[in-house]
DNA sequence: ATGCAATTGCAAATCGTTTGCAACTGAAGT
DNA sequence: ACTTCAGTTGCAAACGATTTGCAATTGCAT
């Protein structure tokens, strides 16, 4: 039972614990986040939210994202070119490979790279607070394809 | 004689070759870039430019940066939080360590990390077009300091 | 010198995001 | 259930970084 269980994040709980109110719009946004298997941006979240409750405003989406980010419940990623995209913070740390053609985000992790980063920072006299490693690429043509 | 010689970039030449005119404002901006040892953003370049020729506009700075970027003469880096910052493209590829307290940018390179990235991308079925590796950190207190 | 397309400065527009504000509403207390 | 009131909302306006339309200017090939 030591596998990376993709825990359905309990955002409401996290927020309550942080002393914020669970309002109608927040409930909607939270449910969207919990369901999202991708890395939606604020506008995308807003669109999905409107389908559930047409009264929600984009401002509230932004405000809620900032709130969740502050609480540490989600991570914000500012990939090249586009708006910030979000993902639940519940999973193990990972970096991203962005498909330049589709915008798809693939997660990966390399303990070796993490170590090397630490090593480099130490040599330069720094402590890493956080880092950003993003690979921008295209699906290799030919050979095996992983379907899509 | 195999050290990384910081070749004073011949922007004018690169631009001429690309068929663009060498105008007065461009000359000023180009000279600033050639001298810059740091990673200035557009506004900073603009400020430095105004001191040489007060008639230069921020738009022209932006336009010139885009031009140089298109020609491949400079690289644009969108570090977290702030505006894009630029650096000559003439040097060897490297990644960046950003000092969170000062905004200073320290360059580093790890062939091992580059290899690992390639490996990871390949395993995921991708070709890397480019990547972004940024370490955000603080100078380690105590012990040796590299002066500053 | 001449001519014209490339380039400029300016102001206005754009994009993603934040914010001021008056109206509204959770949730704690009765 | 009813009140209360600070937390929250939607809206529109403000924001910072960057881009763009346009009329005036200017490289640079002739």
């Amino acid at each position: 039972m030591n596998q990376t269980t993709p825990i359905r994040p309990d955002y409401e709980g996290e927020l309550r614990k942080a002393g914020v109110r669970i309002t109608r719009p927040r409930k909607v946004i939270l449910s969207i986040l919990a369901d999202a298997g991708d890395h939606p941006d604020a506008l995308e979240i807003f669109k999905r939210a409107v389908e559930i409750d047409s009264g929600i405003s984009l401002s509230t989406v932004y405000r809620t994202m900032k709130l969740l980010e502050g609480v540490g419940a989600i991570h914000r990623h500012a990939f090249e070119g586009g708006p910030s995209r979000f993902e639940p913070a519940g999973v193990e740390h990972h970096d991203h490979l962005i498909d330049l053609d589709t915008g798809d985000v693939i997660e990966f992790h390399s303990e070796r790279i993490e170590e090397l980063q630490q090593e480099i920072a130490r040599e330069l006299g720094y402590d890493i607070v956080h880092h950003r490693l993003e690979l921008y690429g295209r699906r290799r043509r030919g050979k095996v394809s992983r379907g899509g």
Side-chain angles (χ1 to χ4, degrees), chain A:
Chain A
M1 286 304 144
N2 204 5
Q3 61 190 74
T4 309
T5 311
I7 307 147
R8 180 63 63 97
D10 176 27
Y11 291 125
E12 289 203 18
E14 292 199 56
L15 288 185
R16 277 222 173 71
K17 196 161 49 186
V20 301
R21 285 186 193 164
I22 307 306
T23 65
R24 197 170 183 332
R26 277 179 187 160
K27 272 208 177 88
V28 174
I29 294 171
L30 263 32
S31 78
I32 289 169
L33 285 174
D35 293 346
D38 51 354
H39 297 65
D41 58 41
L43 188 57
E44 177 59 32
I45 293 170
F46 170 65
K47 285 176 185 165
R48 296 181 194 177
V50 166
E51 291 197 5
I52 301 175
D53 179 340
S54 61
I56 289 172
S57 77
L58 182 54
S59 317
T60 295
V61 172
Y62 276 112
R63 277 191 276 235
T64 301
M65 300 324 287
K66 176 155 286 188
L67 196 63
L68 290 171
E69 196 189 357
V71 170
I74 62 169
H75 289 314
R76 171 193 301 259
H77 300 295
F79 298 134
E80 280 187 8
S84 292
R85 299 171 65 171
F86 306 90
E87 73 174 332
V91 285
E92 285 277 302
H93 165 69
H94 56 257
D95 296 303
H96 301 91
L97 164 58
I98 295 91
D99 187 315
L100 286 168
D101 297 315
T102 67
D104 285 354
V105 174
I106 295 154
E107 302 171 357
F108 68 86
H109 177 79
S110 165
E111 198 50 53
R112 191 76 194 89
I113 289 182
E114 305 280 327
E115 290 167 9
L116 288 166
Q117 289 175 176
Q118 287 298 338
E119 209 173 286
I120 289 165
R122 177 172 312 122
E123 273 167 24
L124 292 171
Y126 276 81
D127 286 323
I128 296 178
V129 173
H130 68 283
H131 72 252
R132 171 154 88 167
L133 170 55
E134 292 156 12
L135 307 183
Y136 295 85
R138 307 207 133 85
R139 202 154 216 162
R140 185 155 347 97
R141 304 182 304 95
K143 297 279 185 159
V144 284
S145 88
R146 298 172 68 248

